Amino acid sequence: MKTETIELPPLAPGARYELTMHTFGSGESGRSAYVQAGLHADEHPGLLVAHHLIGLLAELERERLLTGTVVVCPFANPVGLSQRIFGMPTGRFNLENGENFNRAFPDIAPEISAMSGDWTFARNDISQIKRAFAGCLERHRRADTVGALKFVLLREALRHDVVLDLHCDTAGVLHLYANRAQTARAESLARAMEIGTVLVEEYAGGEPFDESFMRPWRAAVEAGWVDPDRSGFCASIELRGQADVDDVMAAEDARGIVRFLAREGLVELGEGEADRADIHALFQPRGNPVRPDVFPLEGASHLRAPATGIVVYLKHPGDQVSSGELIAEIVALEGDPVAARVEVRSDVDGVFLVGQQFRLVRAGQRVALLAGTAMLPGRKPGKLLNDF
């Protein structure tokens, strides 16, 4: 393991932040992966998963089972980690300007597309493509702390073939987001990590980290410089809810990531080798193979509370739902104490993915995220992400 510390511009005199990158592997296969946790710094399950993943990678490296290179950033947002208001973590938004930490990453796709007449290297010359990415990104270097942070994170990601961004939601089940063009690889990741739901989109909008990685690769594919199956791959993995910080779950999630890296040609898990049977057994799935369901992100419904009060769920994350089905009720705290509760009904056929951890909700606040099978009329490409 090699550890690199990258210092960011100071936020104020005496207030300095830095990123840590741990690198594992020999690079024999020529392929590499990057895994980061905590870009939304109030989402802590990924921080524990990264801890377990580092331990597994160190063991695999000792056993000479890493055929590629894997870089892990155990906390991707030191600025957000430092933010608290009266003791409560507030790491989703930059308190300086209110911006979501996972928005407004540099978008170099237009510059890559504009280079089409100047590209002279061979098709599928991945190293040259990555150098082109780096050159374009250099023009987006920022001097402010958070801008520099985003530059460094994307610069690191664009050096690699596989990128996994670890997140979580408020209270939910495992699910992941990926680009529609890479649905097959997203399903492979879901099977490796035993994730039941995959959400795919063409263009989410808002320049989140994963999309800022994928858009230049899509531009390269569309220009004919790289085959689709040789393109870089990125997914955002939602590790259940904010309260799901647990050693057993985190260790299994880390093993799932390693299983996926093995499928991507970066790890050899010792299958068929008698002297490494224990390592092979460590990475076997726990139960029956998971067959993930794929939903369009354009069909994801962010159900809003119709009233202010306490939300009482009748359906829970992971449950199947039908359009019109009662999934929750809002108990009013004002007015008639015996008045009827306000109903919340599903508007899709699909799966209940996410609820609220804190049950006091305001009218208009999201009370559930549902993955639906059909495109919803109000969901438009480029405007598919919610800040909350």
Side-chain angles (χ1 to χ4, degrees):
M1 182 180 75
K2 298 178 182 178
T3 299
E4 178 187 10
T5 299
I6 303 168
E7 188 170 312
L8 301 172
L11 193 61
R16 287 174 169 77
Y17 295 89
E18 59 187 29
L19 287 169
T20 300
M21 304 282 183
H22 301 296
T23 301
F24 302 85
S26 62
E28 293 173 10
S29 70
R31 289 177 58 73
S32 63
Y34 171 64
V35 183
Q36 70 178 26
L39 177 55
H40 281 147
D42 57 352
E43 299 174 0
H44 299 157
L47 304 179
L48 187 58
V49 171
H51 164 78
H52 282 278
L53 179 62
I54 288 168
L56 292 175
L57 292 172
E59 176 64 19
L60 291 167
E61 188 172 54
R62 283 192 293 270
E63 295 292 329
R64 302 181 184 275
L65 292 174
L66 291 182
T67 57
T69 300
V70 183
V71 176
V72 180
C73 179
F75 54 94
N77 186 358
V79 177
L81 284 174
S82 72
Q83 293 184 167
R84 288 177 178 261
I85 296 179
F86 301 123
M88 289 293 293
T90 56
R92 185 175 182 85
F93 299 95
N94 183 358
L95 292 183
E96 183 174 351
N97 57 14
E99 185 176 83
N100 189 316
F101 280 115
N102 193 21
R103 302 290 187 273
F105 276 80
D107 180 9
I108 64 170
E111 294 162 68
I112 296 299
S113 296
M115 294 173 62
S116 58
D118 301 325
W119 287 37
T120 59
F121 45 82
R123 185 181 180 91
N124 291 323
D125 189 336
I126 302 301
S127 61
Q128 287 280 17
I129 291 173
K130 290 177 181 177
R131 278 194 281 273
F133 290 168
C136 290
L137 182 62
E138 191 61 33
R139 294 191 282 273
H140 294 263
R141 185 181 287 273
R142 295 266 298 274
D144 63 290
T145 309
V146 174
L149 169 72
K150 293 178 180 180
F151 171 85
V152 170
L153 294 177
L154 186 58
R155 180 182 64 184
E156 183 62 39
L158 289 171
R159 293 170 175 167
H160 300 280
D161 305 289
V162 176
V163 174
L164 303 179
D165 191 17
L166 306 184
H167 287 263
C168 75
D169 214 301
T170 50
V173 291
L174 278 169
H175 57 288
L176 68 84
Y177 297 90
N179 188 271
R180 182 169 287 116
Q182 296 194 321
T183 299
R185 287 170 83 180
E187 289 182 272
S188 175
L189 171 60
R191 288 191 295 271
M193 293 191 67
E194 300 179 305
I195 295 173
T197 301
V198 174
L199 292 159
V200 296
E201 40 71 26
E202 198 72 36
Y203 174 46
E207 289 82 46
F209 172 80
D210 57 351
E211 193 159 82
S212 290
F213 173 87
M214 282 305 309
R215 279 174 60 80
W217 277 108
R218 287 294 305 279
V221 169
E222 290 167 2
W225 304 318
V226 61
D227 295 330
D229 62 350
R230 298 290 303 279
S231 166
F233 170 77
C234 186
S236 292
I237 303 169
E238 301 288 337
L239 298 166
R240 307 172 190 85
Q242 287 175 300
D244 294 315
V245 182
D246 174 89
D247 261 332
V248 173
M249 290 190 295
E252 181 54 34
D253 293 337
R255 286 192 288 270
I257 290 173
V258 172
R259 286 194 289 268
F260 177 66
L261 296 180
R263 296 179 183 188
E264 288 285 324
L266 287 99
V267 180
E268 169 56 57
L269 294 182
E271 184 175 5
E273 300 178 34
D275 59 336
R276 289 173 169 170
D278 55 337
I279 291 178
H280 179 61
L282 176 64
F283 294 100
Q284 291 305 298
R286 294 171 298 178
N288 295 325
V290 170
R291 296 180 178 177
D293 295 316
V294 179
F295 296 90
L297 187 55
E298 297 89 341
S301 173
H302 296 268
L303 277 185
R304 304 293 173 180
T308 297
I310 298 293
V311 59
V312 179
Y313 289 105
L314 307 177
K315 288 283 189 175
H316 302 282
D319 289 348
Q320 298 289 317
V321 295
S322 300
S323 182
E325 185 176 8
L326 182 65
I327 66 168
E329 297 174 333
I330 306 294
V331 179
L333 301 181
E334 296 180 305
D336 183 355
V338 296
R341 299 180 177 191
V342 181
E343 296 180 341
V344 181
R345 293 186 177 273
S346 171
D347 58 351
V348 302
D349 296 319
V351 179
F352 188 148
L353 286 182
V354 176
Q356 280 295 331
Q357 180 181 353
F358 297 107
R359 303 304 173 88
L360 176 63
V361 298
R362 297 177 178 177
Q365 179 182 342
R366 188 187 77 169
V367 291
L369 170 61
L370 312 178
T373 55
M375 304 281 192
L376 294 173
R379 302 280 286 159
K380 298 180 180 179
K383 297 182 179 179
L384 295 176
L385 299 181
N386 281 17
D387 269 340
F388 288 95

